[in-house]
Each structure stands twice: as C-alpha cells, then as structure tokens.
Amino acid sequence: MEAPKNHVFYRSNKWSYPKIVKGQGIYLYDEKGNTYIDGCSGSAVANIGHGNHEVAELAKEQIETIAYTHLSRFTCDPIEACARKIADLTPESLNHVYFVSGGSESTEAAIKMARQYHYEKNPHSQKWKVISKRHSFHGNTLGALSMTGITERRQVYDQMLINFPKIPQFYQYRNQWSTDWYHTSLQAALALESEIQFQGAENIAAFISEPVVGSAAPGVYPHPVYFEMVRELCDEHDIIFIMDEVMTGFGRTGKMFACEHFNVEPDLLCIAKGMSAGYAPIGAVVASDKIFNTIMTEGSGAFKHGHTYGGHPLSCAVASKVIDIVQNGLVENSKERGRQLLDLLQNLYKLDFVGDIRGLGLMIGIEFVCDKENKLPFKRDINLKQRVTENCLKEGLVVYPGSGTYGHTEGDHILIAPPLIITEDQVLELYKKLEKALLTTQESLRKEKLWISSLSPSHQQAMYRQRL
Ligand SMILES: Cc1ncc(COP(=O)(O)O)c(C=O)c1O
C-alpha cells in the first residue's frame, strides 16, 4: 500500500527526519528500532528527560479541571502558583512574572516592556534602541531576530529587521582583543560603553545578553567582570539590562539561573525552554520591582502587550511540577555531570579538527577547525556540522549543530546539552558515542582529502601574518 502523503512543512528538505515513536529518560526511540541518547535535549529543552509519569498525570488532571482561561479577564491557581515559584527562585528584585508561550515571545515582550518603562517615565523619551551582540541568539520573530547576531538567520529578512546596534561578544576563542579570558571580557564590556557613547544614551532603551551563549557560539561565557561592568553601565545610563536565560535557565548551567554564576541581577529575565522541559509550551519575562512599579503602579497600569496563550493553565501547572522536579537535585546533578563530561571531552583535543571545548554545567560547545593553530574553518560546502551530526546519529547520539563562529558565515560547532537527569554511566556512554562519531568524521575528511579551509590562500596568508 502506498504511504500517505506527508503534508508537514519541515524546516529543511536537506535532512531526512527519523520518526521518533517514544522517549524515555535520556533516550529517544525511532520507528526503525534505533535508540538515541538525546544529547542536546532537543534544543536544551527536555531537561527532566522524556516520559515523566508525574508530569503526565498532573497534565491530565489539569486538562480535566479547566481547558483555558484568558489572562486579560481571569486568573486561576496554576498561574499564580507558577509565578510564585519563579519569583521565589529568581534574584531578589525579580518578582513579577509575565507569561508568554516561548523564547522569542519572551525576548520580544522584554524589549517592549523596556520601551514602555521609558515611555511611562517620559512620553517624549527617545529611548528605543536595544544594543545586542554579534554571535548571539534571541529568537526568530522579527523583533527577536533584530537582536540576534547570526547572519545566516538574518540575511533573507534583513530589510524587515530593526536596525539595532550590535557589539562584539565575550568570545575568548575568537576576538579582536586577546586570548585571555579576563581581558576579553573586560574589552567586551568596554565595547558596550563605547557603543552607548556612539549611539547616545538618550536613544538606548535596553541591552540584552545571554549569560552563557547558546546556539550562536555554544558554551561561551565571560569572566564575572563583564556583567559587573554591564550592570554599572546600565545603571549609570538608565538602560534596561535584559538577561536572556531562555536556554540557560532552570539548572542547565549548574545553577538554577546562570546569572547566579556572575552574581548579577538583570532588570528583566527571559525564560522558556527548561521552564516546562518540553512538556508544554511556555515562557515568561520576569520583571524587577523597578520596571513593574513604573508601568503598573506609578504609570498607566497596563502593559500594552499580550498573546492568547500567555498564562495557559496547563502550561503553568506543568511548569510548576517541572520546577519541583528540577529543584529536587537536578541543578546539582547538572553541575557534577557537567564537570564529568567536560573532563572527558578534554580527550577530544587529540583529534586534529577539535579547536575549542567550553561550557558550564550541562551546556557545552565544541568548535571544529581545519587548522588548530590558526583556528581556520573548514570549507563551507563540506558542511562539517552536518557530517558530524549524521555520524553522531549513526552512533545513536543527537547533538545540536550550528555555524557562523568564524567571521559570521563560516565555522562549525555543536552543542551538547543532555537532560539534567543523566547519570554518571550515561555520561560515559554519551562520550564514547561522540568520540566514535568524531573519529569517523576525521577519517572521512582525510580519505576524501577535505582537510582544506574555506578561506582563500591570500586570506589564509593574512591570518598567518596577523599571528606573527
Ligand atoms: C537564548 C535564546 N533566546 C531565545 C530563543 C528563542 O526561543 P524560541 O525558539 O522558544 O522562540 C532561544 C532558542 O533557542 C535561545 O536559545
């Protein structure tokens, strides 16, 4: 019998999508009987693993109680309980949870909140620009994409995007300043100061940063001096500091929120992904007392924004349960298993094409190069990231590929971010699969004589000269 026609508009026709029929713990199972370790939790989402019975039971109960309430007219217990839980966990002044349905909605809502904060203080305020960074990701909707610093994702839509200023990332492995962590972070913060001067503080509404970079340059994070200086600059110039913890929040980096690593408190905290660990779509912006009071108490009293599914009772009930589960030892596990994995991964430096390995907790990035000494990227048409991903899948391991770390359009990397429930033995299992897949990749690159850089010989010469 002919297979029914598939009407799904997938993301790419260059990928053959295995059909997953079940997930349990850190494992995914496809229709052909293959088993995979979900080594990236989807995209750092499935933090408590798959097939959690407690969450399933609670979801059923919640659906039977109430299908939906609109947040503009009603409130209900799951929404209030979830907000209370988040306010208790987030840094001190972050007490007001504005619910949305995902990460992009969260960063979009945050910039509108920042703008409305300035407007409430002064309706003639010119503060509207948002400074963000190259090698950053804040989502794919137009406002979020306007802040995102990944050329490949922006190019097609360029004319439709808001021309927000972009400054360099705190990217120790690749930057124009230094190979030293502290100095890179310091210079990256000074770049913010310089951009504020250039644009004029009177035009800047907000600055947004991931604490540990996700898909754009996975696992990259700064010395604490960076956020110390960012906080000072934002305070000095009345600029709202938005921390994008969509990927890092809820234990991913070995702390409940990654801002705790840096002892810094943003004005707005964007969260999603691990908030419900994939069991229901949800996100939120957690606002500080300052922002909330300016808009809601002293100002107009209404945030001019909202989506139909913001504060969905099912999503909020699920998120509350997931947060309880994460609080029950998973943050600590993320820290310990992350250390174990990062230690094991050091062995991969023996491979000729592994350039950099970095990360915090269970959020680890590996960057590939065709020339370690000069950090040159492979030729783009080799599509190294896809080769690595396919070889990992053959070994039964799912990783999250990306590119754009060299310059803006070259370079290959993967993100490793398994569920936070991963055990010591499973970390070892993951490592062995990855090592095998990378050895296979190395072998095929050699056999096919693909060990060449995407840069022209004169560009390479310039690189060498720069190094000398
Ligand atoms: C840091 C960060 N911000 C925002 C987003 C966008 O989230 P979503 O895909 O849920 O819209 C992502 C998604 O990967 C992310 O990693």
Side-chain angles (χ1 to χ4, degrees), residues 102-105 107 137-139 210 244 246-247 273 400:
S104 303
E105 277 189 19
T107 56
F137 184 64
H138 300 292
E210 297 159 270
D244 182 351
V246 165
M247 193 177 269
K273 293 187 188 268
Y400 186 180

Short mmCIF file of all heavy atoms in Angstrom, two decimals, residues 102-105 107 137-139 210 244 246-247 273 400, ligand 1:
data_model
loop_
_atom_site.label_atom_id
_atom_site.label_comp_id
_atom_site.label_asym_id
_atom_site.label_seq_id
_atom_site.Cartn_x
_atom_site.Cartn_y
_atom_site.Cartn_z
N GLY A 102 6.85 31.09 24.69
CA GLY A 102 8.14 30.55 24.25
C GLY A 102 9.23 31.59 24.33
O GLY A 102 9.01 32.72 24.80
N GLY A 103 10.41 31.23 23.83
CA GLY A 103 11.58 32.07 23.99
C GLY A 103 11.53 33.37 23.20
O GLY A 103 11.85 34.45 23.73
N SER A 104 11.14 33.30 21.93
CA SER A 104 11.10 34.51 21.11
C SER A 104 10.05 35.48 21.64
O SER A 104 10.27 36.70 21.68
CB SER A 104 10.78 34.18 19.65
OG SER A 104 11.73 33.28 19.14
N GLU A 105 8.91 34.94 22.05
CA GLU A 105 7.88 35.80 22.65
C GLU A 105 8.41 36.47 23.92
O GLU A 105 8.03 37.60 24.24
CB GLU A 105 6.63 34.98 23.00
CG GLU A 105 5.70 34.76 21.84
CD GLU A 105 4.37 34.14 22.28
OE1 GLU A 105 4.01 34.19 23.47
OE2 GLU A 105 3.69 33.59 21.40
N THR A 107 11.67 37.33 24.59
CA THR A 107 12.60 38.44 24.32
C THR A 107 11.86 39.61 23.66
O THR A 107 12.18 40.77 23.91
CB THR A 107 13.79 37.98 23.45
OG1 THR A 107 13.30 37.39 22.25
CG2 THR A 107 14.67 36.98 24.18
N PHE A 137 22.02 34.69 20.04
CA PHE A 137 20.70 34.29 19.51
C PHE A 137 19.62 34.64 20.51
O PHE A 137 19.70 34.28 21.69
CB PHE A 137 20.66 32.78 19.20
CG PHE A 137 19.35 32.38 18.57
CD1 PHE A 137 18.99 32.88 17.32
CD2 PHE A 137 18.48 31.52 19.20
CE1 PHE A 137 17.78 32.53 16.73
CE2 PHE A 137 17.26 31.16 18.61
CZ PHE A 137 16.92 31.67 17.37
N HIS A 138 18.60 35.37 20.02
CA HIS A 138 17.50 35.75 20.91
C HIS A 138 16.14 35.38 20.33
O HIS A 138 15.12 35.82 20.86
CB HIS A 138 17.57 37.25 21.20
CG HIS A 138 18.85 37.65 21.86
ND1 HIS A 138 19.19 37.26 23.14
CD2 HIS A 138 19.92 38.36 21.40
CE1 HIS A 138 20.38 37.73 23.45
NE2 HIS A 138 20.86 38.40 22.41
N GLY A 139 16.12 34.61 19.24
CA GLY A 139 14.84 34.16 18.70
C GLY A 139 14.67 34.54 17.25
O GLY A 139 15.49 35.27 16.67
N GLU A 210 22.92 36.95 26.56
CA GLU A 210 22.84 35.61 27.15
C GLU A 210 23.97 35.53 28.17
O GLU A 210 25.06 36.05 27.90
CB GLU A 210 23.07 34.54 26.09
CG GLU A 210 22.04 34.49 24.97
CD GLU A 210 22.57 33.78 23.72
OE1 GLU A 210 23.15 34.46 22.85
OE2 GLU A 210 22.41 32.57 23.62
N ASP A 244 18.98 37.12 28.79
CA ASP A 244 18.24 36.09 28.06
C ASP A 244 18.66 34.71 28.57
O ASP A 244 19.67 34.16 28.14
CB ASP A 244 18.51 36.23 26.56
CG ASP A 244 17.73 35.21 25.74
OD1 ASP A 244 17.13 34.29 26.33
OD2 ASP A 244 17.73 35.34 24.49
N VAL A 246 16.72 32.05 28.25
CA VAL A 246 15.80 31.10 27.61
C VAL A 246 16.42 29.70 27.57
O VAL A 246 15.76 28.71 27.84
CB VAL A 246 15.41 31.60 26.20
CG1 VAL A 246 14.76 30.50 25.37
CG2 VAL A 246 14.48 32.80 26.31
N MET A 247 17.72 29.65 27.26
CA MET A 247 18.37 28.34 27.20
C MET A 247 19.03 27.95 28.53
O MET A 247 19.06 26.78 28.90
CB MET A 247 19.42 28.32 26.08
CG MET A 247 19.90 26.92 25.75
SD MET A 247 21.07 26.84 24.40
CE MET A 247 20.02 26.62 22.99
N LYS A 273 11.99 27.34 27.44
CA LYS A 273 12.60 26.01 27.31
C LYS A 273 12.51 25.11 28.58
O LYS A 273 11.52 24.44 28.79
CB LYS A 273 14.05 26.14 26.87
CG LYS A 273 14.18 26.68 25.44
CD LYS A 273 15.62 26.63 24.97
CE LYS A 273 15.84 27.32 23.65
NZ LYS A 273 15.73 26.48 22.48
N TYR A 400 23.34 19.12 18.66
CA TYR A 400 22.70 20.31 18.08
C TYR A 400 23.76 21.08 17.28
O TYR A 400 24.65 21.69 17.86
CB TYR A 400 22.13 21.14 19.23
CG TYR A 400 21.30 22.35 18.86
CD1 TYR A 400 20.75 23.15 19.86
CD2 TYR A 400 21.05 22.71 17.55
CE1 TYR A 400 19.97 24.26 19.57
CE2 TYR A 400 20.29 23.81 17.24
CZ TYR A 400 19.76 24.59 18.25
OH TYR A 400 19.01 25.69 17.95
C1 LIG B 1 18.98 32.29 24.21
C2 LIG B 1 17.73 32.08 23.42
N1 LIG B 1 16.82 33.08 23.32
C3 LIG B 1 15.69 32.94 22.62
C4 LIG B 1 15.40 31.76 21.96
C5 LIG B 1 14.13 31.62 21.16
O1 LIG B 1 13.29 30.70 21.76
P1 LIG B 1 12.10 30.00 20.93
O2 LIG B 1 12.73 29.12 19.94
O3 LIG B 1 11.34 29.27 22.00
O4 LIG B 1 11.30 31.09 20.31
C6 LIG B 1 16.32 30.69 22.03
C7 LIG B 1 16.06 29.43 21.31
O5 LIG B 1 16.91 28.63 21.06
C8 LIG B 1 17.51 30.85 22.77
O6 LIG B 1 18.43 29.89 22.86
#
